[in-house]
Amino acid sequence: MTGALDQLRLQLLWNRLLAVVEEQAQTLVRTAFSTTVREAGDLSAGVFDAEGRMLAQAVTGTPGHVNAMAASVGAFLRKYPLDRLEEGDVLLTNDPWDGTGHLNDFTVVTPVFREGRPIALFAATSHVADVGGLGFGPDARQVYEEGLLVPIGYLFRRGAPNETLLDIIRANVRDPTAALGDLYSLAGCNDAGARRLLETLDEFGLGDLDAVGRLIIENSARAMRAEIAKLPRGTYENSMRIDGYDSPIDLVCAVTIGADAITVDFAGTSPISPRGVNVPLAYTQAYASFGVRCVVGNDTPNNAGSLSVVQVTAPEGCILNAPRPCAVSARHTVGQMLPDVVLGALAKAIPDRVPAEGASCLYLPVLLGGPGVAGETAGEAFVVNPFYTGGTGARPGKDGLSCTAFPSGVRNTPVEINEATAPILIWRKEYRTDSGGPGRFRGGLGQVMEFAHAERRAMAVSKMFERVRHPARGRDGGGPGAPGAVRLDDGTVLSGMGRDVVPVGRRLVIETPGGGGKGDPTTRARAAAAEDLRAGLISPEAAREIYGFEESDN
């Protein structure tokens, strides 16, 4: 494909592939049982060539899943080479070191056959609300305590379900209907993608994706190398301290911009933790490479070609390259900080493109209730994992986004959905005044939420909250965002990590962090600050003390 018509045909085929993987993702959303997938979009979907290289990913999804999944398909093929698979075979795993970093994420891989020959693969990942063990949380000492680990194996064999595996999963999770339903939804979305791909190949008169796949990967790699060549070469360093489970964690990186590649090295980062905040290397690579892609070649498709020119390393034994059998359930609390760490280094090379630090880590309270939980002997058994977000850092030339998930890209779970799927009441959900870091461009705001058991029973909460002690930092003279907080409504302060009981009659109050500001706050446009005051985003005190309003302005 070298002529203009061939290039046009390639572009049309590329657009069709994007439509195919987006339909794959939307099928997953529509058929998933867990609200984490249905409502928050915690998933990934993509198509791979016969060598296991990702060609295209769905727009719907999260980088921690899709970039890690891009590497995990290779692990599937090492155990089950494509020529050993048959029509109707579907593989799966939730192994953190072969998948996306913790047991709650199941990855399902399906080969596509054309005239009896395997020509491609579809893969999808989604977050299953419960996988047994201690449940989703940071309290485990080893991965064995965190839930059921399923090594790479068959979910379906020649179209028949692996009933032994399904029975094992059914017996080990708190909500077997949701868990098994989610596995079937993963298999179903891959099947939808496969059907559309075969229709596309028929329409374009192609027997497979081999030649087209090579062109897509080569073009994407070439485009990324061209963008890298425009950058100032050198090594740029940055570090960030975050809360950790019971002691602070230092994340240290050196970003080296070369002639045609970027390397990110996390040497100097803190060692592994005795608790479940450790990060397998694949998840580290997923979010660190995403940090680079946010400001370098962000118009280039995200696939094996563009990812190949960003290399990410971390010393084995540090918290970003945790070996088996480290506990890793809450790996997102550390891993989702990595784009900010990488962007902080890149700010020294390309300062005009980089935002301030944001809340980054999702706030994911896992609420549990029923007999045997929090001392209760009766009541409805439930486990619900709502997703909440803080503010992003101020952007170049713009304020930060309030209550928006960056870098994960997932959505806040609606109040109505949480109340419909579990016996909980959400008494309050509102913007958190003054939580956005002050600056010429203000950081995004966090939010305040208040939860209670609808039946006036005790319940447990498993907390994985970061930036409680170390808030998001501003940039270029901007101020920090507000730290996060968690407490009971009677004022009892709870730790950001670990499981606690919400007693009968008490409410759980969560405050998510704000994003850092960018630029000197005294240079903020008067009209913008006045609008913030009018909308309640800043208080009259902040208007006077930070932005220089007079009493008569209020």
Side-chain angles (χ1 to χ4, degrees), residues 260-413:
D260 58 1
I262 291 178
T263 61
V264 181
D265 180 19
F266 286 102
T269 290
S270 294
I272 58 172
S273 168
R275 296 289 188 168
V277 295
N278 299 293
V279 188
L281 183 59
Y283 196 77
T284 292
Q285 292 170 330
Y287 268 115
S289 60
F290 176 71
V292 173
R293 296 297 314 281
C294 284
V295 292
V296 180
N298 51 18
D299 290 330
T300 303
N302 193 56
N303 56 34
S306 54
L307 290 171
S308 69
V309 298
V310 181
Q311 289 97 40
V312 179
T313 59
E316 185 172 6
C318 82
I319 200 166
L320 298 179
N321 187 1
R324 298 176 190 270
C326 287
V328 293
S329 182
R331 89 300 190 223
H332 66 281
T333 61
V334 177
Q336 289 179 5
M337 297 294 179
L338 298 182
D340 271 345
V341 181
V342 171
L343 288 168
L346 288 170
K348 299 173 182 179
I350 44 175
D352 57 322
R353 302 189 199 178
V354 176
E357 293 178 2
S360 299
C361 168
L362 286 168
Y363 266 46
L364 309 175
V366 181
L367 304 173
L368 307 97
V373 178
E376 289 289 340
T377 59
E380 178 184 342
F382 71 91
V383 53
V384 62
N385 180 195
F387 283 23
Y388 297 110
T389 54
T392 75
R395 299 163 289 172
K398 297 181 180 179
D399 291 343
L401 297 169
S402 297
C403 303
T404 300
F406 176 83
S408 70
V410 302
R411 299 183 294 275
N412 288 265
T413 313

Side-chain angles (χ1 to χ4, degrees), residues 461 463 468 485-488 492-497 500-502 508:
V461 57
K463 297 171 278 85
V468 174
V486 56
R487 64 181 185 277
L488 301 180
T492 302
V493 176
L494 304 180
S495 64
M497 293 280 181
D500 278 306
V501 170
V502 181
L508 174 70

Side-chain angles (χ1 to χ4, degrees), residues 359 432-438 444 446 467-468 470-472 479-485 511-516:
R432 188 179 171 201
T433 300
D434 288 338
S435 57
R467 293 215 187 278
V468 174
H470 298 87
E511 299 180 353
T512 67

Side-chain angles (χ1 to χ4, degrees), residues 244-255:
Y245 184 94
D246 49 15
S247 60
I249 296 167
D250 289 316
L251 303 174
V252 180
C253 83
V255 176

Side-chain angles (χ1 to χ4, degrees), residues 48-123:
F48 295 71
D49 68 10
E51 297 179 32
R53 299 178 298 179
M54 186 171 73
L55 301 181
Q57 65 159 96
V59 174
T60 301
T62 177
H65 281 182
V66 73
N67 288 354
M69 187 180 74
S72 72
V73 171
F76 279 82
L77 292 180
R78 284 191 291 274
K79 185 168 182 180
Y80 292 97
L82 201 55
D83 59 8
R84 285 178 48 192
L85 297 176
E86 302 177 66
E87 292 194 56
D89 288 350
V90 179
L91 304 174
L92 90 162
T93 191
N94 70 335
D95 187 319
W97 288 271
D98 285 335
T100 62
H102 72 174
L103 296 177
N104 289 80
D105 290 344
F106 274 88
T107 298
V108 169
V109 174
T110 304
V112 182
F113 286 81
R114 184 173 174 80
E115 297 176 353
R117 182 170 66 93
I119 60 163
L121 304 109
F122 279 88

